Amino acid sequence: FTREEGVANFDLYMCSIKDLSDEVSWSDQIQYQAKHDALTGLINRAEFEQALACALKSHHSHIMLYLDLDQFKIVNDTCGHGAGDDLLRALSDILQAKIRDGDMLARLGGDEFGVLLLNCNLEDAERIANTLRMTVSEFRFVWQDKIFEIGVSIGLVGVNQYSKDLTDVLSAADVACYSAKDAGRNRIHVYQQGDLELQKRRGEMQWVNRLQKAVDDNAFCLHYQTIEPLQTSAPSGAHIEVLLRMVGSEGVFILPGAFLPSAERYDLIRSVDQWVVQHLFERFGRLMR
């Protein structure tokens, strides 16, 4: 307000104020849900993989732990998924309290967890992994009148200058975890370059997609060979043995010794069996017409 020569002059300003509390709250909630697991409140797989990718670029030595609960399916089958969810929530809180400040615990899916130990050497990582293993072993889950004991198999892999990429680290951790399970469960397996057992397991895992695709695409073939008696006085009648082959690229037959171990280990053998039985009876049905 100014006055010049007896005339009042005004500069007028208008402002608008809007309460954005609700919008900010919703935005924060959406961002939180995008990064966290809805059941346990831990960070989810996508956020964990992003943190792991950043660790790979840091040029420091870190460790990843891949945890897979043992005997968890018994709780689900016995008491239902509600009990399994309660177990996962309780165990998540307990495990979170056992890792260092700055380290990252995530639920990767189902009963699988991941831990990223930042700037950690192998000796300290094994100590932390063993603490987590013992914590799970000592945990008792009570549901109504039932008490459950569970365990955890842990795969340990270094994240350092020798790591190729994110996929390589996750694959190595997964393979190491399966090796811990095969060795008796409730134990730790450290991934090491050149480990022949782990290389074998990784080779088996690579068959999983090929097997599933072969089932979907009918890329199998049945061969037959007759069974002849050694004695001429044996009862007459035709007997045959049915043999399975996978049809590979360019029509090359792959013998079952190459793919059946993977089918059995990764629960694909039932699909293969169903394919064999279905196509065997279809073939016999056509011959009998």
Side-chain angles (χ1 to χ4, degrees):
F1 170 78
T2 61
R3 180 180 296 277
E4 296 180 3
E5 298 180 355
V7 178
N9 298 315
F10 295 91
D11 288 332
L12 301 179
Y13 298 90
M14 179 178 291
C15 68
S16 175
I17 300 175
K18 182 179 180 181
D19 186 354
L20 298 177
S21 300
D22 290 341
E23 285 83 348
V24 172
S25 177
W26 277 108
S27 177
D28 290 344
Q29 184 175 346
I30 291 172
Q31 290 185 26
Y32 180 88
Q33 291 174 346
K35 297 179 180 180
H36 292 78
D37 174 57
L39 177 65
T40 62
L42 300 176
I43 66 169
N44 57 27
R45 187 183 189 98
E47 186 68 11
F48 183 80
E49 290 183 357
Q50 184 175 348
L52 188 57
C54 292
L56 282 166
K57 299 176 182 178
S58 68
H59 304 293
H60 294 287
S61 293
H62 316 288
I63 299 290
M64 179 190 165
L65 307 179
Y66 193 104
L67 286 68
D68 192 336
L69 299 182
D70 302 323
Q71 310 303 329
F72 174 76
K73 190 174 184 296
I74 294 177
V75 178
N76 270 346
D77 292 346
T78 304
C79 302
H81 291 281
D85 289 348
D86 278 1
L87 186 156
L88 290 174
R89 279 190 289 262
L91 199 56
S92 296
D93 292 339
I94 294 173
L95 292 176
Q96 185 71 68
K98 296 297 182 179
I99 62 175
R100 308 172 306 173
D101 293 340
D103 291 337
M104 186 175 293
L105 172 66
R107 184 187 179 206
L108 303 181
D111 59 344
E112 300 170 349
F113 297 84
V115 180
L116 180 58
L117 303 174
L118 297 172
N119 299 315
C120 187
N121 58 48
L122 180 59
E123 183 179 354
D124 289 340
E126 289 187 280
R127 176 181 53 80
I128 295 171
N130 194 52
T131 297
L132 297 177
R133 184 193 63 79
M134 293 178 60
T135 297
V136 175
S137 297
E138 295 169 358
F139 175 69
R140 298 293 179 268
F141 178 68
V142 180
W143 182 263
Q144 297 176 352
D145 59 340
K146 299 179 179 65
I147 301 176
F148 295 93
E149 299 180 16
I150 59 174
V152 64
S153 298
I154 302 177
L156 187 155
V157 61
V159 182
N160 48 46
Q161 68 270 25
Y162 303 107
S163 304
K164 294 180 181 178
D165 51 32
L166 177 64
T167 301
D168 184 68
V169 172
L170 291 171
S171 175
D174 189 35
V175 168
C177 183
Y178 268 99
S179 293
K181 281 187 174 294
D182 280 353
R185 300 178 183 268
N186 194 34
R187 62 189 62 210
I188 302 163
H189 193 106
V190 179
Y191 179 86
Q192 295 177 340
Q193 294 290 339
D195 190 319
L196 295 180
E197 179 62 26
L198 294 182
Q199 289 179 4
K200 175 185 175 183
R201 184 62 41 76
R202 177 171 284 182
E204 291 176 350
M205 291 175 68
Q206 292 174 351
W207 277 102
V208 173
N209 290 334
R210 293 186 64 182
L211 276 167
Q212 189 60 63
K213 190 174 187 304
V215 172
D216 295 339
D217 297 344
N218 287 323
F220 289 111
C221 180
L222 295 179
H223 288 189
Y224 310 89
Q225 64 182 19
T226 58
I227 301 176
E228 300 288 348
L230 295 176
Q231 298 178 352
T232 56
S233 60
S236 61
H239 299 273
I240 63 170
E241 181 181 13
V242 181
L243 305 172
L244 178 67
R245 304 285 186 265
M246 179 189 289
V247 182
S249 59
E250 300 180 356
V252 177
F253 290 125
I254 302 173
L255 298 180
F259 58 84
L260 283 186
S262 299
E264 293 172 347
R265 185 180 301 277
Y266 296 105
D267 296 327
L268 289 172
I269 192 64
R270 180 177 299 179
S271 298
V272 176
D273 288 344
Q274 289 175 342
W275 189 96
V276 171
V277 172
Q278 177 184 345
H279 286 77
L280 179 63
F281 279 95
E282 287 178 354
R283 181 68 178 270
F284 281 154
R286 289 193 297 268
L287 292 175
M288 296 298 292
R289 292 172 186 170

